[in-house]
Every structure is written in C-alpha cells, then in structure tokens.
Amino acid sequence: MHESWKAFLEKEFNEPYFRKLSAFLSEEYKTKTIYPKKELVFSAFSTDLNSIKVVILGQDPYHTPGAAHGLAFSVPETEKIPPSLVNMYKEIDSDLGQLKTDLLTMNPNLKLNPEDYRHKNKTGNLKSWQEQGVLLLNNVLTVEAHLAGSHRGHGWETFTENVIKYLNETRPHLVFILWGRDARSKKSLINEQKHYIIESAHPSPLSAYHGFFGSRPFTKTNNKLAEWGLEKIIW
C-alpha cells in the first residue's frame, strides 16, 4: 500500500465494522479458498492517492483460480482476458477509433500517434492504467472460490463507501466511472460540482448491449481531464 493512504487506512482498520470484517476474513482464509491472495487484497491502494485522476468501480474479485490480483477488472498477464474486460477493450477500440475519425474529419492532414486512440495492453493486466492514476477499486475486495458475491454484506461495502467519501472530500478533480447497479448506487456520495461522473450499464456480456457499448467513457474521461489541465489516460 502506498504511504499516502496510511492515515485513512489506519483509521478504517480500527473501526468496529472493519474489526468484524477482519475476524470474518481470518476464518475464511483459514478454512476456505479465498481470492485474491491475502497480500494482494489491497493492491488498488498501491496507487498514490495524490496522483489519482480516475476512479473505476468494479463489483467483486474474479472467483476463479489465478484471476484476481486486487485490481478491479484486471487479471495477471498469464490469465485469459475475462469477458467484461474483452468488452471494455472493444469499447476502447470503438470509442477512441471514433475519436480518430472525428479528428481527421476536422483536419485531414492531422498526424495522430496510434497510442492516442488504441490501447496498447494486449493482456488483461491493467497495471498500466493504475500507474497513470486510475484507481481500480472493487465494491467488495474478497470472494470465496467459485462463489460470486460470497463476501458481500460483511463490511467491504462500508469500506468502499468510506474510500469514495474520502476521495470526494480530499481530491480536487476526479472522474468517477460507474458501471452497473452496484457502482451507480455510490453516485450520491460524490460531489458533482467538483468531480465528474460517467455512468452506464456494466460491461459484462449480460448488460454490455444495454447501454455500455457506445457510451464512449474513455473519450469522455480524457476530454474532462484535458479540461482540468490534467494528462489524459493512455487506454
């Protein structure tokens, strides 16, 4: 975990709800197979708090072996790219490819760097996003193997809400990307006078065609960052 999160995390870890959550997790890790590994649960918080520009909220960690490594939507390089992330990559190509078309229509002689409109990451590891200031935070940070949603209702939701409140209060300009019902339920915690919210259906195969595809979140994010004088994200 990055030093910049120390004060916040120490406070949360001492709260009654988190002590109860810790006791639950201690027993779960002793008796069951839980993902991600203990040392990876707080991987999202290796992002420097002061460098965060974008917050993407996920749901639960992947519940299959080897997939979860503490970053929402992300998997290690050795793992197959999950369906939701495949759809995110499809939207990146569509969204930023359309940006290329729009820019060339305005200026046919414009020289564009392919990295400006097409993702470089051919694996499912989104660490390159994290390194650019994207906080990849799940609503619930642990899960029992092969049992999606099994650690909901044990305190993680309170922790995540407190993270969002803390970011809302302490950071000047953030883009919050809320995909799906769980993430969108956090909208009321965010001050839209200082931050920017992008919301749509979740990128999962079950809902991607109901509002995620064509929503152009990646262009919208970079346009808002540019408006604030911040560096865009190379998706």
Side-chain angles (χ1 to χ4, degrees), residues 7-25:
F8 169 79
L9 291 175
E10 284 184 349
K11 178 181 179 299
E12 292 302 308
F13 292 165
N14 285 302
E15 292 290 336
Y17 86 88
F18 202 95
R19 290 181 180 275
K20 186 176 180 180
L21 171 61
S22 294
F24 166 75
L25 291 174

Side-chain angles (χ1 to χ4, degrees), residues 182-194:
D182 285 359
R184 295 171 88 169
S185 70
K186 306 295 192 294
K187 183 177 179 179
S188 63
L189 305 175
I190 303 165
N191 181 352
E192 294 186 67
Q193 300 303 311
K194 60 187 290 194

Side-chain angles (χ1 to χ4, degrees), residues 213-226:
F213 285 135
S215 62
R216 303 192 69 182
F218 306 101
T219 292
K220 290 176 182 176
T221 295
N222 280 347
N223 286 347
K224 181 54 69 172
L225 293 177

Side-chain angles (χ1 to χ4, degrees), residues 166-224:
Y166 186 68
L167 289 167
N168 177 66
E169 294 167 1
T170 60
R171 299 290 291 132
H173 297 299
L174 293 173
V175 176
F176 286 87
I177 299 179
L178 311 179
W179 289 325
R181 183 179 60 188
D182 285 359
R184 295 171 88 169
S185 70
K186 306 295 192 294
K187 183 177 179 179
S188 63
L189 305 175
I190 303 165
N191 181 352
E192 294 186 67
Q193 300 303 311
K194 60 187 290 194
H195 304 297
Y196 183 63
I197 296 175
I198 297 171
E199 57 179 320
S200 75
H202 194 275
S204 74
L206 293 175
S207 57
Y209 287 95
H210 298 282
F212 174 73
F213 285 135
S215 62
R216 303 192 69 182
F218 306 101
T219 292
K220 290 176 182 176
T221 295
N222 280 347
N223 286 347
K224 181 54 69 172

Side-chain angles (χ1 to χ4, degrees), residues 59 62-63 73 80-91 179-180 201-213:
Q59 295 181 345
Y62 298 116
H63 55 83
F73 296 104
K80 181 180 178 181
I81 301 176
S84 290
L85 185 52
V86 168
N87 286 340
M88 288 162 63
Y89 280 169
K90 286 179 180 178
E91 179 64 14
W179 289 325
H202 194 275
S204 74
L206 293 175
S207 57
Y209 287 95
H210 298 282
F212 174 73
F213 285 135

